[in-house]
Amino acid sequence: MASQKYDVVLLDIEGTTTPISFVHDVLFPYVTNNVKQFIESRWDDPCVQAHVQALAKQAAADIAAGTDGCVAINLDDNTEAVQRQVLENIEWQMRADRKVGALKALQGYMWRFGYERGELQGVMFADAVDAVRMWSRAGRRVFIYSSGS
């Protein structure tokens, strides 16, 4: 069999490089336990505001579609009210295990901060570490995504 030529390796994180439980036992609780402080302390950060705008847009679409339990976000309310609505909306979406871009983007943003501050530390299977090192040494670019978290 001739060797195949490829430059890129794309891996799914859950169950391939990392235990499936990591997302549900570590990453999701990190957001749940830190989202209030994160949102309130970074409220004026333009990136946080972009996430708030995306969540509000998603909430409006959910309400228009008649999605049960959706929490509206009225950006014209005072800051305290908007923060409360955003937090309630995030809690509702996480309880429902929704896979919508606005929520996933905010979670990813929070996880990045958690990793950068050392509050989160990734876990990889030993054979996945070995494989990534092998591909990297061979000059292949390795990318990891998560289709479900």
Side-chain angles (χ1 to χ4, degrees), residues 67-148:
T67 305
D68 286 338
C70 178
V71 177
I73 300 172
N74 182 356
L75 297 175
D76 293 327
D77 283 351
N78 65 55
T79 299
E80 184 178 308
V82 176
Q83 287 176 349
R84 181 179 39 74
Q85 293 163 15
V86 166
L87 293 169
E88 289 174 3
N89 182 279
I90 292 167
E91 181 183 329
W92 164 72
Q93 290 197 63
M94 289 187 69
R95 267 194 329 269
D97 195 24
R98 297 191 76 213
K99 309 289 189 219
V100 296
L103 175 64
K104 297 294 147 193
L106 175 65
Q107 288 171 326
Y109 189 64
M110 287 185 63
W111 293 332
R112 187 185 98 201
F113 274 87
Y115 282 114
E116 288 174 352
R117 287 190 308 240
E119 296 170 354
L120 291 171
Q121 185 172 4
V123 175
M124 288 183 70
F125 296 123
D127 62 342
V129 172
D130 293 341
V132 168
R133 286 183 177 144
M134 177 192 70
W135 289 318
S136 295
R137 281 193 302 272
R140 294 187 174 95
R141 294 172 34 200
V142 179
F143 296 93
I144 298 175
Y145 78 101
S146 176
S147 61

Side-chain angles (χ1 to χ4, degrees), residues 47-69:
C47 289
V48 169
Q49 283 302 304
H51 288 293
V52 168
Q53 294 286 331
L55 288 164
K57 183 177 178 182
Q58 180 64 55
D62 290 338
I63 289 168
T67 305
D68 286 338

Side-chain angles (χ1 to χ4, degrees), residues 20-55:
I20 293 171
S21 61
F22 181 73
V23 173
H24 294 282
D25 294 345
V26 176
L27 294 180
F28 286 162
Y30 179 82
V31 172
T32 302
N33 295 333
N34 293 287
V35 68
K36 182 178 190 312
Q37 187 273 335
F38 188 89
I39 294 289
E40 290 174 353
S41 67
R42 290 175 178 76
W43 186 252
D44 295 326
D45 177 335
C47 289
V48 169
Q49 283 302 304
H51 288 293
V52 168
Q53 294 286 331
L55 288 164

